[in-house]
Each structure stands twice: as structure tokens, then as C-alpha cells.
Amino acid sequence: MITTEASVQSRHGAPDVARPLDQWRECPDCGLLSTLPEMRPGLVAECPRCGKTLWRMRRAPFSFPIACGLSGLLFYTYALVAPFLEISAYGRFQLARLETGPHELTLHGYTLLGFLVLAVTAIFPGIKLGIMLLTLFGLETRTVPSRLMIALFRWYARITPWSMIDVYLLGFLVAYTRLAAIATVHLDTSLYALVGLMIAMAAADGAMDTEAVWRALERAKVHTDERYHQHHPEVPWPEDAPIANMSTEGVIGCHTCHLVNRAVDGDLCRRCHTRLHARKGNSVSRTWALSLSAVALYVPANIYPVMQITQLTKTTNYTIFGGIQELMAYGLWPLAALVFLASITIPLAKLFTLGYLLVQTQRNSPTHLNGRTRAFRVIDFIGRWSMIDIFMISILVALVRFGQFANINPYSGAPCFAAVVILTMFSVITFDSRLMWDAPRRAAPAAPAPERGAPLSQSSKGVPA
Ligand SMILES: [Zn+2]
Ligand SMILES: [Zn+2]
């Protein structure tokens, strides 16, 4: 990594504690307080302790994501109304839209599962697109009230992992190979819209500079407040938090917009109005509760069949592992390996890793902190890909309805498996990885504190993107 001139200056420059609070960052992964280097487009600020990206400054923070978001919106609207797959067999014909699978699951009595599939494939992607476009357009045109934009944009990062068009398309791929074995399959136009939507959303995510958006939102709010006070001089101007700060005591990094606030637990962030907490509340016990529930459900999810295929007089029940064996029997090894990875390996790896992280945190272990933080990032990233099998089932159930000739029905293992995926995703959300870095200090309180309470001498590293 080449260190740029800008970051060299900031690392050896004036004492960092004298710099304004909005130049500070609390690393969301390790909790280290540092100051940002002098940023410029194309530069990435990284945490000096764990390497977490703190700010990737983009050259076009608004125009390119707006372009991606608009094309995504066109694809999304089309994908909502048009079918993406049609099959014909036994002289009959079926087609599937995004909502067909969830509707069929509901008809079979799996209402929650149906709603889950509908939410992550149709509702959340739409909400995410809406939040992005409304905020960015609002900032460009100054037509949307700043407080509304702030209230909405708070949800952007939270909703992102639950928008699963990319995972759905992999589930579609597995469903397609299975359908091809029993019927004539035609890809429909909406499938290309879904692929377009996936690409547009990935490009928008990659180009989105959330820090630039938050800074613009803050400026817009100040502008609105100034106008309000011009018209209502009788209302006292709210006292601002002091900007220059000389110590790291009593500061909390906002977990939504990442602004460092001079605050105590329970105060509101002065930029995004999220309630501030130095650490996530009851993180360890809540993560244990969610992970152990997932372990308990992992057993029925693998023992009970997830679907039932009836062809003429023959009825076969498929567990998750049985489905993988069937793919292998067809000779579809890469697909079998993919489903094995997503449905068996990833949930197990997540549960074992979470258990290990929790035990090490409770033991106040000082070892392998960087490795544990990296493991946590990996399970955070891969968790949602386990939904492949659930999406495959929802597509098969939607299409294979040929009366007495062939039918595919969901079975009780499916909601159990979906619950395992959702519970492990929530347990990653509730786990606060900063506790791992706090733990060695808790165990040895006499040791010099490396971050909170110590003079702030570290500056984030800036590296070219
Ligand atoms: Zn860090
Ligand atoms: Zn905030």
C-alpha cells in the first residue's frame, strides 16, 4: 500500500485532539478512536488498528448512484409486473412472477415464510431504491425536507443486507436446473430485468459514499434551521455541541452515521438523531440467545424434508442434503457444491464462529484480535447467501402445479431452515465486535488504555482506492 502525501501530513501533523470532532472516527469493528486524514476523492481512510474502511471518498458521490438508482427503478418496476419464468408440461402451462412463490407458500399454510420471501425479494429492494433516490434527489434539488431525508437515510445501511435480489438469482439458477429435468422451461423477459436490477444495485452500492451523503444532509439541515430561525426569531437557537475537543472522554461514535458525538449513553446523535450507545446493549447474551435458537432449529431444518415432489403416483420428500444428492446424481457438481456451501457449510461456519467469538470475548482473551475481527466480517458478509435453498423452493412451488401429474409442495423443514438463516443474521447484527477489543483491558485494568481516555494520537491511514 502506498501511503499518500496527505496521510503522511495528517499522521505527523498537529496534535489530533485539537482537530474538530467531525474529523474523528470510532472504528465500528474495533472501537479505536482516530482522526481522518485529509481526504480527497479516490482516497480510502482505514482504521490503523484493524484495517476497517472508515471512509471511501468517491469522485461522483451523487450523480453516478442516481444514474444507477434510476435504471434500477426501471428494472424493478418491470420485474414486479412481468413473469420471469414459464414452464409447460403435461399439456399445461405455468408462469412465475416475483410474488407467485410467496403467494403459493401462503396458500400452503407457510404464511411467514411467504412473507419473508416477498419482503427480501420485492419489498426491501424497493424500499432501499426509494430511500436512495429520494435522499440523493432531495440533496441535489433541495425539494425534500432535510429531516425527512435524515429519517429515511438512517435505514439505508440497515436494510441493505435484507435486499436479496442477487441471492434470489442464484436460487433461480438451482430451480431452473431442477425444472429443466421435469418440464419445458422458457426464460421470460423479467428475468433480464432482475439481472439488470442486481447489477444496478451492486453498482449503486459500490458508488455510494454514505459519509458524503451524511455531510450533505447535515449541511441541508443547518440551512433549513437557519431559515426557520429567520422566520421565528423568538425560538431560541439550539446550543450546539462544542466543536473543538481536548479529550477522548465522553465521546460516542454513532453506529448509523459514524459521527463521533460528545454524549452519554442514550443521547441522540447530533447528525442523524439515532440513539447513541457506547456499546450494543446486552450484546453477548442476546447473541448467545439468537445463536442457540438457531442451533436448536438447525436440527429439524436438516432432519425434516424441505419439499415434497409428487410425479404421477410417486412422492419423494427432499431434505436439504437430499436435494444436494439429487443435483449430484444429475451430474451438476458445481451447483451441488454451491448449494452445499450455502446451505450446510455457511450456517455451520457462522454458528461455530459466533460461538468461538462469544467464548473468547467472555474469557477476556487478548489473542488473535485481528483474526477474530476478520472472521466476524466474513460471517457478516456470507450469511445472507444461505437463502438460496429457500428461494429455490419458492420458485419450484410456484411453478410445478400440474394437478395429478406433478406437484411440488413446501414441507416443514423449509421454515425451520429459513429461521436458522434469519436468526444467524440477527445474531451477527447483535454481536458487538468492539467488545472483543475491550475485553483484554477489562481483564487487566492497570494496563494503559490504548484508546478511550488516552490522548488521541492515532490517525486513520489514507490509501489510494
Ligand atoms: Zn478498527
Ligand atoms: Zn449519527
Side-chain angles (χ1 to χ4, degrees):
M1 285 191 297
I2 306 156
T3 310
T4 63
E5 194 189 349
S7 68
V8 170
Q9 279 172 358
S10 91
R11 207 179 302 163
H12 300 294
D16 294 312
V17 279
R19 293 183 60 189
L21 207 53
D22 54 5
Q23 298 297 319
W24 293 19
R25 273 293 167 282
E26 182 183 358
C27 174
D29 281 6
C30 77
L32 180 78
L33 281 167
S34 63
T35 45
L36 290 169
E38 296 299 328
M39 291 300 285
R40 61 162 193 267
L43 208 65
V44 183
E46 286 178 351
C47 170
R49 186 159 70 174
C50 72
K52 169 85 178 171
T53 299
L54 300 176
W55 185 6
R56 187 180 292 274
M57 197 175 190
R58 296 292 180 185
R59 290 188 171 82
F62 299 128
S63 50
F64 186 66
I66 286 181
C68 296
L70 279 180
S71 47
L73 190 67
L74 288 177
F75 288 132
Y76 174 73
T77 315
Y78 189 76
L80 279 189
V81 292
F84 64 86
L85 195 63
E86 41 186 82
I87 69 168
S88 46
Y90 310 103
R92 294 198 194 182
F93 167 82
Q94 300 281 358
L95 46 81
R97 297 188 182 82
L98 266 185
E99 86 285 354
T100 322
H103 180 67
E104 278 302 314
L105 287 172
T106 310
L107 289 184
H108 283 90
Y110 296 96
T111 312
L112 271 180
L113 189 63
F115 182 74
L116 173 74
V117 174
L118 186 73
V120 297
T121 56
I123 300 174
F124 291 155
I127 294 178
K128 188 184 160 184
L129 270 175
I131 291 176
M132 186 177 80
L133 285 173
L134 199 82
T135 310
L136 296 180
F137 261 124
L139 284 172
E140 290 284 73
T141 58
R142 295 192 175 248
T143 46
V144 183
S146 59
R147 281 168 201 279
L148 174 67
M149 289 192 285
I150 288 171
L152 287 176
F153 197 67
R154 281 210 302 250
W155 291 93
Y156 179 78
R158 290 178 207 170
I159 212 167
T160 294
W162 301 97
S163 159
M164 300 192 186
I165 293 292
D166 40 4
V167 189
Y168 188 72
L169 283 170
L170 269 187
F172 164 82
L173 188 68
V174 183
Y176 177 84
T177 54
R178 292 189 147 214
L179 286 169
I182 51 174
T184 314
V185 189
H186 302 284
L187 301 181
D188 230 321
T189 45
S190 165
L191 178 72
Y192 306 106
L194 281 174
V195 174
L197 174 61
M198 177 188 77
I199 294 171
M201 288 185 89
D205 270 342
M208 193 75 166
D209 185 340
T210 46
E211 178 63 28
V213 174
W214 278 120
R215 287 180 179 227
L217 284 172
E218 194 176 21
R219 283 194 297 275
K221 181 163 75 94
V222 170
H223 182 74
T224 318
D225 289 351
E226 275 170 1
R227 272 198 319 205
Y228 178 80
H229 284 282
Q230 276 169 7
H231 292 104
H232 303 274
E234 72 285 359
V235 179
W237 185 259
E239 261 191 69
D240 279 328
I243 292 298
N245 296 273
M246 300 309 289
S247 95
T248 57
E249 283 294 349
V251 293
I252 300 179
C254 172
H255 63 265
T256 300
C257 75
H258 303 300
L259 183 77
V260 173
N261 288 260
R262 185 155 293 286
V264 292
D265 253 41
D267 283 354
L268 295 184
C269 169
R270 67 188 159 89
R271 183 155 78 176
C272 72
H273 313 152
T274 304
R275 206 161 287 286
L276 296 164
H277 297 287
R279 295 292 179 262
K280 292 176 186 171
N282 301 326
S283 166
V284 170
S285 43
R286 281 164 71 194
T287 312
W288 267 125
L290 290 165
S291 309
L292 291 177
S293 317
V295 171
L297 282 166
Y298 189 79
V299 180
N302 280 281
I303 290 177
Y304 288 120
V306 287
M307 62 178 172
Q308 188 180 56
I309 301 183
T310 310
Q311 263 183 299
L312 298 173
T313 53
K314 187 171 154 237
T315 299
T316 323
N317 289 334
Y318 284 96
T319 59
I320 287 184
F321 195 71
I324 297 168
Q325 283 176 319
E326 202 203 9
L327 287 173
M328 290 196 310
Y330 287 150
L332 300 164
W333 284 89
L335 224 48
L338 174 82
V339 177
F340 185 81
L341 185 74
S343 303
I344 308 269
T345 318
I346 290 181
L348 275 182
K350 276 181 85 168
L351 290 170
F352 275 112
T353 310
L354 274 169
Y356 170 70
L357 296 180
L358 286 165
V359 168
Q360 291 294 79
T361 306
Q362 285 183 308
R363 286 181 57 232
N364 291 329
S365 163
T367 55
H368 309 302
L369 285 169
N370 268 309
R372 272 149 61 190
T373 307
R374 270 197 293 275
F376 175 70
R377 279 183 212 143
V378 171
I379 57 168
D380 184 23
F381 176 74
I382 60 175
R384 51 208 284 285
W385 292 94
S386 302
M387 287 292 281
I388 288 179
D389 253 354
I390 297 296
F391 294 149
M392 176 203 71
I393 293 165
S394 88
I395 294 170
L396 292 181
V397 167
L399 283 166
V400 186
R401 287 181 288 124
F402 295 111
Q404 69 269 41
F405 299 111
N407 268 301
I408 296 186
N409 295 322
Y411 217 80
S412 48
C416 295
F417 184 75
V420 170
V421 181
I422 299 304
L423 285 169
T424 51
M425 283 181 76
F426 272 118
S427 49
V428 170
I429 291 171
T430 54
F431 183 70
D432 194 334
S433 60
R434 294 171 296 181
L435 293 173
M436 299 193 290
W437 295 84
D438 296 344
R441 273 194 300 129
R442 277 203 306 272
E451 62 276 0
R452 271 176 199 285
L456 191 70
S457 58
Q458 314 203 41
S459 145
S460 315
K461 284 189 289 183
V463 293

mmCIF file of all heavy atoms in Angstrom, residues 170 173-175 177-178 320-346 388-389 392:
data_model
loop_
_atom_site.group_PDB
_atom_site.id
_atom_site.type_symbol
_atom_site.label_atom_id
_atom_site.label_comp_id
_atom_site.label_asym_id
_atom_site.label_seq_id
_atom_site.Cartn_x
_atom_site.Cartn_y
_atom_site.Cartn_z
ATOM 1 N N LEU A 170 -29.401 -16.665 -7.715
ATOM 2 C CA LEU A 170 -28.709 -17.955 -7.575
ATOM 3 C C LEU A 170 -29.710 -19.063 -7.269
ATOM 4 O O LEU A 170 -29.611 -20.171 -7.804
ATOM 5 C CB LEU A 170 -27.664 -17.885 -6.465
ATOM 6 C CG LEU A 170 -26.257 -17.470 -6.895
ATOM 7 C CD1 LEU A 170 -25.302 -17.622 -5.723
ATOM 8 C CD2 LEU A 170 -25.764 -18.311 -8.060
ATOM 9 N N LEU A 173 -31.214 -20.071 -10.392
ATOM 10 C CA LEU A 173 -30.351 -20.940 -11.196
ATOM 11 C C LEU A 173 -30.530 -22.402 -10.782
ATOM 12 O O LEU A 173 -30.670 -23.295 -11.629
ATOM 13 C CB LEU A 173 -28.891 -20.499 -11.007
ATOM 14 C CG LEU A 173 -27.861 -21.163 -11.894
ATOM 15 C CD1 LEU A 173 -28.074 -20.734 -13.332
ATOM 16 C CD2 LEU A 173 -26.455 -20.793 -11.425
ATOM 17 N N VAL A 174 -30.567 -22.648 -9.468
ATOM 18 C CA VAL A 174 -30.741 -24.019 -8.977
ATOM 19 C C VAL A 174 -32.136 -24.523 -9.353
ATOM 20 O O VAL A 174 -32.297 -25.659 -9.824
ATOM 21 C CB VAL A 174 -30.539 -24.070 -7.446
ATOM 22 C CG1 VAL A 174 -30.655 -25.499 -6.949
ATOM 23 C CG2 VAL A 174 -29.187 -23.496 -7.060
ATOM 24 N N ALA A 175 -33.155 -23.670 -9.173
ATOM 25 C CA ALA A 175 -34.525 -24.077 -9.511
ATOM 26 C C ALA A 175 -34.635 -24.401 -10.996
ATOM 27 O O ALA A 175 -35.293 -25.365 -11.384
ATOM 28 C CB ALA A 175 -35.497 -22.958 -9.134
ATOM 29 N N THR A 177 -32.396 -25.589 -13.107
ATOM 30 C CA THR A 177 -31.845 -26.890 -13.488
ATOM 31 C C THR A 177 -32.779 -28.019 -13.066
ATOM 32 O O THR A 177 -32.907 -29.020 -13.760
ATOM 33 C CB THR A 177 -30.471 -27.115 -12.835
ATOM 34 O OG1 THR A 177 -30.610 -26.936 -11.436
ATOM 35 C CG2 THR A 177 -29.444 -26.162 -13.363
ATOM 36 N N ARG A 178 -33.449 -27.840 -11.924
ATOM 37 C CA ARG A 178 -34.373 -28.885 -11.469
ATOM 38 C C ARG A 178 -35.627 -28.917 -12.347
ATOM 39 O O ARG A 178 -36.134 -29.990 -12.669
ATOM 40 C CB ARG A 178 -34.784 -28.643 -10.029
ATOM 41 C CG ARG A 178 -33.616 -28.831 -9.104
ATOM 42 C CD ARG A 178 -34.048 -28.801 -7.684
ATOM 43 N NE ARG A 178 -33.193 -29.690 -6.921
ATOM 44 C CZ ARG A 178 -33.612 -30.385 -5.887
ATOM 45 N NH1 ARG A 178 -34.853 -30.319 -5.520
ATOM 46 N NH2 ARG A 178 -32.784 -31.158 -5.232
ATOM 47 N N ILE A 320 -32.621 -30.961 2.829
ATOM 48 C CA ILE A 320 -31.635 -30.098 2.182
ATOM 49 C C ILE A 320 -30.511 -30.939 1.603
ATOM 50 O O ILE A 320 -30.096 -30.756 0.459
ATOM 51 C CB ILE A 320 -31.112 -29.074 3.207
ATOM 52 C CG1 ILE A 320 -32.218 -28.054 3.455
ATOM 53 C CG2 ILE A 320 -29.846 -28.394 2.710
ATOM 54 C CD1 ILE A 320 -31.874 -26.946 4.342
ATOM 55 N N PHE A 321 -30.053 -31.922 2.394
ATOM 56 C CA PHE A 321 -28.950 -32.743 1.919
ATOM 57 C C PHE A 321 -29.409 -33.633 0.764
ATOM 58 O O PHE A 321 -28.665 -33.847 -0.197
ATOM 59 C CB PHE A 321 -28.394 -33.588 3.073
ATOM 60 C CG PHE A 321 -27.056 -34.177 2.755
ATOM 61 C CD1 PHE A 321 -25.930 -33.368 2.674
ATOM 62 C CD2 PHE A 321 -26.924 -35.532 2.506
ATOM 63 C CE1 PHE A 321 -24.699 -33.898 2.348
ATOM 64 C CE2 PHE A 321 -25.691 -36.077 2.181
ATOM 65 C CZ PHE A 321 -24.572 -35.254 2.107
ATOM 66 N N GLY A 322 -30.663 -34.118 0.826
ATOM 67 C CA GLY A 322 -31.199 -34.935 -0.267
ATOM 68 C C GLY A 322 -31.226 -34.165 -1.578
ATOM 69 O O GLY A 322 -30.954 -34.713 -2.642
ATOM 70 N N GLY A 323 -31.551 -32.870 -1.493
ATOM 71 C CA GLY A 323 -31.562 -32.020 -2.691
ATOM 72 C C GLY A 323 -30.177 -31.924 -3.310
ATOM 73 O O GLY A 323 -30.018 -31.954 -4.542
ATOM 74 N N ILE A 324 -29.155 -31.859 -2.440
ATOM 75 C CA ILE A 324 -27.777 -31.779 -2.937
ATOM 76 C C ILE A 324 -27.403 -33.099 -3.613
ATOM 77 O O ILE A 324 -26.800 -33.121 -4.690
ATOM 78 C CB ILE A 324 -26.813 -31.457 -1.770
ATOM 79 C CG1 ILE A 324 -27.152 -30.084 -1.188
ATOM 80 C CG2 ILE A 324 -25.370 -31.485 -2.230
ATOM 81 C CD1 ILE A 324 -26.474 -29.776 0.126
ATOM 82 N N GLN A 325 -27.800 -34.218 -2.997
ATOM 83 C CA GLN A 325 -27.506 -35.531 -3.591
ATOM 84 C C GLN A 325 -28.156 -35.663 -4.960
ATOM 85 O O GLN A 325 -27.571 -36.229 -5.883
ATOM 86 C CB GLN A 325 -28.010 -36.636 -2.659
ATOM 87 C CG GLN A 325 -27.098 -36.856 -1.467
ATOM 88 C CD GLN A 325 -27.680 -37.883 -0.515
ATOM 89 O OE1 GLN A 325 -28.882 -37.897 -0.260
ATOM 90 N NE2 GLN A 325 -26.827 -38.739 0.013
ATOM 91 N N GLU A 326 -29.375 -35.114 -5.080
ATOM 92 C CA GLU A 326 -30.065 -35.208 -6.361
ATOM 93 C C GLU A 326 -29.316 -34.417 -7.438
ATOM 94 O O GLU A 326 -29.166 -34.863 -8.564
ATOM 95 C CB GLU A 326 -31.501 -34.697 -6.215
ATOM 96 C CG GLU A 326 -32.392 -35.239 -7.305
ATOM 97 C CD GLU A 326 -33.613 -34.373 -7.559
ATOM 98 O OE1 GLU A 326 -33.671 -33.264 -6.991
ATOM 99 O OE2 GLU A 326 -34.471 -34.809 -8.332
ATOM 100 N N LEU A 327 -28.840 -33.224 -7.071
ATOM 101 C CA LEU A 327 -28.063 -32.428 -8.024
ATOM 102 C C LEU A 327 -26.813 -33.192 -8.452
ATOM 103 O O LEU A 327 -26.419 -33.161 -9.620
ATOM 104 C CB LEU A 327 -27.664 -31.075 -7.397
ATOM 105 C CG LEU A 327 -28.767 -30.039 -7.240
ATOM 106 C CD1 LEU A 327 -28.248 -28.827 -6.461
ATOM 107 C CD2 LEU A 327 -29.295 -29.588 -8.596
ATOM 108 N N MET A 328 -26.192 -33.910 -7.511
ATOM 109 C CA MET A 328 -25.001 -34.691 -7.852
ATOM 110 C C MET A 328 -25.369 -35.842 -8.787
ATOM 111 O O MET A 328 -24.635 -36.166 -9.710
ATOM 112 C CB MET A 328 -24.341 -35.222 -6.582
ATOM 113 C CG MET A 328 -23.686 -34.124 -5.765
ATOM 114 S SD MET A 328 -22.533 -34.690 -4.510
ATOM 115 C CE MET A 328 -23.389 -35.918 -3.622
ATOM 116 N N ALA A 329 -26.555 -36.438 -8.521
ATOM 117 C CA ALA A 329 -26.988 -37.548 -9.363
ATOM 118 C C ALA A 329 -27.206 -37.090 -10.807
ATOM 119 O O ALA A 329 -26.981 -37.838 -11.753
ATOM 120 C CB ALA A 329 -28.270 -38.156 -8.802
ATOM 121 N N TYR A 330 -27.647 -35.820 -10.984
ATOM 122 C CA TYR A 330 -27.809 -35.265 -12.330
ATOM 123 C C TYR A 330 -26.452 -34.936 -12.959
ATOM 124 O O TYR A 330 -26.381 -34.525 -14.111
ATOM 125 C CB TYR A 330 -28.615 -33.958 -12.289
ATOM 126 C CG TYR A 330 -30.093 -34.124 -12.021
ATOM 127 C CD1 TYR A 330 -30.792 -33.123 -11.366
ATOM 128 C CD2 TYR A 330 -30.792 -35.247 -12.448
ATOM 129 C CE1 TYR A 330 -32.144 -33.237 -11.104
ATOM 130 C CE2 TYR A 330 -32.138 -35.375 -12.195
ATOM 131 C CZ TYR A 330 -32.809 -34.370 -11.521
ATOM 132 O OH TYR A 330 -34.146 -34.500 -11.272
ATOM 133 N N GLY A 331 -25.381 -35.026 -12.172
ATOM 134 C CA GLY A 331 -24.058 -34.649 -12.679
ATOM 135 C C GLY A 331 -23.791 -33.159 -12.574
ATOM 136 O O GLY A 331 -22.837 -32.649 -13.168
ATOM 137 N N LEU A 332 -24.638 -32.430 -11.829
ATOM 138 C CA LEU A 332 -24.455 -30.972 -11.708
ATOM 139 C C LEU A 332 -23.569 -30.671 -10.499
ATOM 140 O O LEU A 332 -24.006 -30.125 -9.492
ATOM 141 C CB LEU A 332 -25.816 -30.287 -11.574
ATOM 142 C CG LEU A 332 -26.758 -30.516 -12.751
ATOM 143 C CD1 LEU A 332 -28.182 -30.161 -12.381
ATOM 144 C CD2 LEU A 332 -26.315 -29.692 -13.948
ATOM 145 N N TRP A 333 -22.308 -31.040 -10.600
ATOM 146 C CA TRP A 333 -21.398 -30.916 -9.461
ATOM 147 C C TRP A 333 -21.191 -29.469 -9.007
ATOM 148 O O TRP A 333 -21.222 -29.213 -7.801
ATOM 149 C CB TRP A 333 -20.059 -31.573 -9.800
ATOM 150 C CG TRP A 333 -20.156 -33.050 -9.723
ATOM 151 C CD1 TRP A 333 -20.512 -33.903 -10.737
ATOM 152 C CD2 TRP A 333 -19.964 -33.861 -8.580
ATOM 153 N NE1 TRP A 333 -20.543 -35.195 -10.300
ATOM 154 C CE2 TRP A 333 -20.205 -35.204 -8.963
ATOM 155 C CE3 TRP A 333 -19.630 -33.604 -7.254
ATOM 156 C CZ2 TRP A 333 -20.105 -36.263 -8.075
ATOM 157 C CZ3 TRP A 333 -19.510 -34.655 -6.375
ATOM 158 C CH2 TRP A 333 -19.764 -35.982 -6.784
ATOM 159 N N PRO A 334 -20.949 -28.526 -9.926
ATOM 160 C CA PRO A 334 -20.713 -27.160 -9.437
ATOM 161 C C PRO A 334 -21.911 -26.621 -8.651
ATOM 162 O O PRO A 334 -21.751 -25.993 -7.606
ATOM 163 C CB PRO A 334 -20.489 -26.341 -10.720
ATOM 164 C CG PRO A 334 -20.146 -27.340 -11.771
ATOM 165 C CD PRO A 334 -20.839 -28.597 -11.396
ATOM 166 N N LEU A 335 -23.128 -26.936 -9.151
ATOM 167 C CA LEU A 335 -24.334 -26.451 -8.479
ATOM 168 C C LEU A 335 -24.506 -27.138 -7.125
ATOM 169 O O LEU A 335 -24.881 -26.506 -6.131
ATOM 170 C CB LEU A 335 -25.538 -26.739 -9.371
ATOM 171 C CG LEU A 335 -26.560 -25.629 -9.509
ATOM 172 C CD1 LEU A 335 -25.898 -24.311 -9.803
ATOM 173 C CD2 LEU A 335 -27.551 -25.977 -10.604
ATOM 174 N N ALA A 336 -24.213 -28.463 -7.099
ATOM 175 C CA ALA A 336 -24.297 -29.200 -5.824
ATOM 176 C C ALA A 336 -23.320 -28.604 -4.820
ATOM 177 O O ALA A 336 -23.659 -28.425 -3.640
ATOM 178 C CB ALA A 336 -23.994 -30.675 -6.071
ATOM 179 N N ALA A 337 -22.123 -28.281 -5.289
ATOM 180 C CA ALA A 337 -21.111 -27.698 -4.394
ATOM 181 C C ALA A 337 -21.584 -26.338 -3.884
ATOM 182 O O ALA A 337 -21.419 -26.013 -2.703
ATOM 183 C CB ALA A 337 -19.785 -27.555 -5.130
ATOM 184 N N LEU A 338 -22.214 -25.564 -4.784
ATOM 185 C CA LEU A 338 -22.709 -24.234 -4.396
ATOM 186 C C LEU A 338 -23.772 -24.351 -3.307
ATOM 187 O O LEU A 338 -23.727 -23.653 -2.287
ATOM 188 C CB LEU A 338 -23.285 -23.526 -5.633
ATOM 189 C CG LEU A 338 -23.970 -22.197 -5.366
ATOM 190 C CD1 LEU A 338 -22.933 -21.097 -5.284
ATOM 191 C CD2 LEU A 338 -24.994 -21.882 -6.444
ATOM 192 N N VAL A 339 -24.744 -25.264 -3.513
ATOM 193 C CA VAL A 339 -25.827 -25.419 -2.524
ATOM 194 C C VAL A 339 -25.274 -25.976 -1.221
ATOM 195 O O VAL A 339 -25.679 -25.562 -0.123
ATOM 196 C CB VAL A 339 -26.956 -26.313 -3.092
ATOM 197 C CG1 VAL A 339 -28.042 -26.525 -2.053
ATOM 198 C CG2 VAL A 339 -27.547 -25.690 -4.339
ATOM 199 N N PHE A 340 -24.311 -26.912 -1.322
ATOM 200 C CA PHE A 340 -23.701 -27.461 -0.111
ATOM 201 C C PHE A 340 -23.025 -26.345 0.688
ATOM 202 O O PHE A 340 -23.171 -26.243 1.908
ATOM 203 C CB PHE A 340 -22.670 -28.534 -0.487
ATOM 204 C CG PHE A 340 -22.090 -29.237 0.711
ATOM 205 C CD1 PHE A 340 -22.790 -30.268 1.339
ATOM 206 C CD2 PHE A 340 -20.862 -28.867 1.232
ATOM 207 C CE1 PHE A 340 -22.267 -30.897 2.450
ATOM 208 C CE2 PHE A 340 -20.335 -29.499 2.347
ATOM 209 C CZ PHE A 340 -21.037 -30.519 2.960
ATOM 210 N N LEU A 341 -22.312 -25.500 -0.034
ATOM 211 C CA LEU A 341 -21.618 -24.378 0.620
ATOM 212 C C LEU A 341 -22.627 -23.442 1.287
ATOM 213 O O LEU A 341 -22.488 -23.080 2.456
ATOM 214 C CB LEU A 341 -20.796 -23.617 -0.430
ATOM 215 C CG LEU A 341 -19.930 -22.493 0.100
ATOM 216 C CD1 LEU A 341 -18.719 -23.070 0.810
ATOM 217 C CD2 LEU A 341 -19.474 -21.576 -1.029
ATOM 218 N N ALA A 342 -23.683 -23.092 0.536
ATOM 219 C CA ALA A 342 -24.630 -22.083 1.031
ATOM 220 C C ALA A 342 -25.513 -22.637 2.151
ATOM 221 O O ALA A 342 -25.790 -21.940 3.115
ATOM 222 C CB ALA A 342 -25.495 -21.584 -0.121
ATOM 223 N N SER A 343 -25.962 -23.900 2.009
ATOM 224 C CA SER A 343 -26.991 -24.409 2.934
ATOM 225 C C SER A 343 -26.420 -25.187 4.098
ATOM 226 O O SER A 343 -27.053 -25.266 5.147
ATOM 227 C CB SER A 343 -27.970 -25.315 2.180
ATOM 228 O OG SER A 343 -28.536 -24.609 1.124
ATOM 229 N N ILE A 344 -25.280 -25.831 3.926
ATOM 230 C CA ILE A 344 -24.728 -26.650 5.013
ATOM 231 C C ILE A 344 -23.522 -25.939 5.639
ATOM 232 O O ILE A 344 -23.474 -25.723 6.851
ATOM 233 C CB ILE A 344 -24.288 -28.048 4.482
ATOM 234 C CG1 ILE A 344 -25.426 -28.696 3.698
ATOM 235 C CG2 ILE A 344 -23.755 -28.898 5.630
ATOM 236 C CD1 ILE A 344 -26.371 -29.560 4.450
ATOM 237 N N THR A 345 -22.544 -25.564 4.792
ATOM 238 C CA THR A 345 -21.286 -25.036 5.337
ATOM 239 C C THR A 345 -21.474 -23.671 5.984
ATOM 240 O O THR A 345 -21.015 -23.458 7.108
ATOM 241 C CB THR A 345 -20.239 -24.918 4.207
ATOM 242 O OG1 THR A 345 -20.320 -26.073 3.392
ATOM 243 C CG2 THR A 345 -18.839 -24.797 4.779
ATOM 244 N N ILE A 346 -22.140 -22.737 5.287
ATOM 245 C CA ILE A 346 -22.203 -21.363 5.797
ATOM 246 C C ILE A 346 -22.945 -21.283 7.143
ATOM 247 O O ILE A 346 -22.424 -20.701 8.091
ATOM 248 C CB ILE A 346 -22.809 -20.406 4.738
ATOM 249 C CG1 ILE A 346 -21.811 -20.224 3.592
ATOM 250 C CG2 ILE A 346 -23.154 -19.055 5.341
ATOM 251 C CD1 ILE A 346 -22.264 -19.287 2.492
ATOM 252 N N ILE A 388 -30.394 -19.306 -0.551
ATOM 253 C CA ILE A 388 -30.538 -19.888 -1.895
ATOM 254 C C ILE A 388 -31.621 -20.978 -1.926
ATOM 255 O O ILE A 388 -32.516 -20.959 -2.775
ATOM 256 C CB ILE A 388 -29.182 -20.465 -2.367
ATOM 257 C CG1 ILE A 388 -28.207 -19.327 -2.701
ATOM 258 C CG2 ILE A 388 -29.367 -21.363 -3.590
ATOM 259 C CD1 ILE A 388 -26.853 -19.805 -3.146
ATOM 260 N N ASP A 389 -31.532 -21.927 -0.975
ATOM 261 C CA ASP A 389 -32.469 -23.053 -0.981
ATOM 262 C C ASP A 389 -33.914 -22.597 -0.787
ATOM 263 O O ASP A 389 -34.835 -23.129 -1.410
ATOM 264 C CB ASP A 389 -32.098 -24.052 0.124
ATOM 265 C CG ASP A 389 -31.472 -25.312 -0.463
ATOM 266 O OD1 ASP A 389 -31.451 -25.426 -1.708
ATOM 267 O OD2 ASP A 389 -31.029 -26.173 0.300
ATOM 268 N N MET A 392 -35.114 -21.181 -3.994
ATOM 269 C CA MET A 392 -35.341 -22.256 -4.957
ATOM 270 C C MET A 392 -36.695 -22.914 -4.692
ATOM 271 O O MET A 392 -37.492 -23.126 -5.614
ATOM 272 C CB MET A 392 -34.217 -23.283 -4.831
ATOM 273 C CG MET A 392 -34.416 -24.479 -5.708
ATOM 274 S SD MET A 392 -33.524 -25.899 -5.102
ATOM 275 C CE MET A 392 -34.443 -26.338 -3.647
#
